[in-house]
Amino acid sequence: AQKITQTQPGMFVQEKEAVTLDCTYDTSDQSYGLFWYKQPSSGEMIFLIYQGSYDEQNATEGRYSLNFQKARKSANLVISASQLGDSAMYFCASSNTDKLIFGTGTRLQVFP
Amino acid sequence: GAVVSQHPSWVICKSGTSVKIECRSLDFQATTMFWYRQFPKQSLMLMATSNEGSKATYEQGVEKDKFLINHASLTLSTLTVTSAHPEDSSFYICSARAIRERSYNEQFFGPGTRLTVL
């Protein structure tokens, strides 16, 4: 069974600064995927970034990058140049089949 | 592209009534749709996986007779909460997986439905 752990219930960051949101995973599968989603207060789940277990390069999507350390089973999300609109819940998730298994989330608040 | 809609966006009902929530993929065909439930300040918990034309697969602990799922077409899945009670009040979110070549399980999420049972 897969398990996702997000140890930071809340994080604060000043606008324009970078922030790292932690995620560790536990799986015995060789092939799996790791995802990050953003959930604003409105509730919709917004896909941010994906990392495959066999990908050698860390994934990047604009201001988002995923710091993938396979041996440590961590998949931290780095948001560069934070914006006020980045304030939201952030969920890490893993998948090895059709199912997505989510972590408990981190609430990020960006202040001016 | 890859838009998923849900209807209604919110619903308030009396205890004992049934509520149907629709999930539609608007611009793609979905082989598989997923239903999640999210309680306040908690994570998304997968309730069931539905494939077009077949019975849904429910996660452990989810009552299939209470949460009826129908996936009648490649663009529509419905979740019916039967005999709803206040403890069923939650945020229900669907997602859809597209029929296309992808190296990973890409799911597109609907905007969610907030159910309040009085």
Side-chain angles (χ1 to χ4, degrees):
Chain A
Q2 298 178 77
K3 184 179 179 181
I4 294 287
T5 301
Q6 294 181 254
T7 58
Q8 306 156 315
M11 290 285 286
F12 287 89
V13 66
Q14 189 166 33
E15 199 177 7
K16 300 180 185 178
E17 297 294 312
V19 63
T20 298
L21 306 184
D22 295 342
C23 172
T24 58
Y25 60 93
D26 186 10
T27 180
S28 56
D29 298 311
Q30 296 299 311
S31 178
Y32 52 88
L34 298 158
F35 302 75
W36 277 92
Y37 286 87
K38 172 184 177 181
Q39 186 180 41
S41 57
S42 54
E44 76 268 30
M45 296 291 285
I46 302 169
F47 167 76
L48 296 178
I49 197 166
Y50 165 84
Q51 179 85 42
S53 58
Y54 292 116
D55 294 340
E56 295 185 351
Q57 300 281 341
N58 284 344
T60 60
E61 291 284 350
R63 295 187 298 112
Y64 305 107
S65 60
L66 199 152
N67 185 359
F68 181 45
Q69 299 189 42
K70 196 170 183 176
R72 294 185 177 184
K73 294 190 174 181
S74 74
N76 298 339
L77 177 70
V78 180
I79 305 175
S80 62
S82 297
Q83 301 172 356
L84 295 178
D86 293 336
S87 295
M89 282 292 291
Y90 288 81
F91 291 97
C92 180
S94 70
S95 174
N96 67 338
T97 57
D98 273 351
K99 298 180 184 180
L100 278 175
I101 306 299
F102 287 89
T104 51
T106 296
R107 179 167 296 282
L108 175 66
Q109 296 193 40
V110 182
F111 60 93
Chain B
V3 178
V4 176
S5 70
Q6 275 185 247
H7 178 81
S9 55
W10 60 269
V11 57
I12 301 173
C13 69
K14 292 182 179 180
S15 185
T17 61
S18 294
V19 175
K20 180 185 283 188
I21 302 170
E22 290 186 350
C23 176
R24 293 182 184 272
S25 56
L26 298 185
D27 52 1
F28 68 99
Q29 291 183 320
T31 50
T32 307
M33 288 184 169
F34 305 86
W35 287 96
Y36 296 86
R37 181 167 55 184
Q38 185 180 31
F39 291 109
K41 299 186 179 181
Q42 294 189 24
S43 187
L44 278 74
M45 299 300 295
L46 179 65
M47 299 175 66
T49 303
S50 77
N51 293 291
E52 185 262 340
S54 63
K55 290 184 178 180
T57 302
Y58 291 81
E59 295 299 300
Q60 192 173 8
V62 177
E63 299 175 61
K64 61 181 180 181
D65 293 331
K66 181 168 186 62
F67 299 100
L68 301 178
I69 292 172
N70 183 273
H71 193 160
S73 75
L74 287 172
T75 59
L76 173 64
S77 177
T78 60
L79 168 68
T80 301
V81 183
T82 61
S83 186
H85 291 283
E87 58 265 29
D88 298 323
S89 298
S90 187
F91 191 57
Y92 292 87
I93 309 176
C94 73
S95 71
R97 184 176 182 184
I99 302 174
R100 57 187 186 186
E101 295 287 327
R102 280 288 182 181
S103 61
Y104 58 88
N105 175 19
E106 184 175 20
Q107 294 184 24
F108 301 97
F109 284 82
T113 297
R114 191 163 301 282
L115 170 64
T116 302
V117 185
L118 303 177

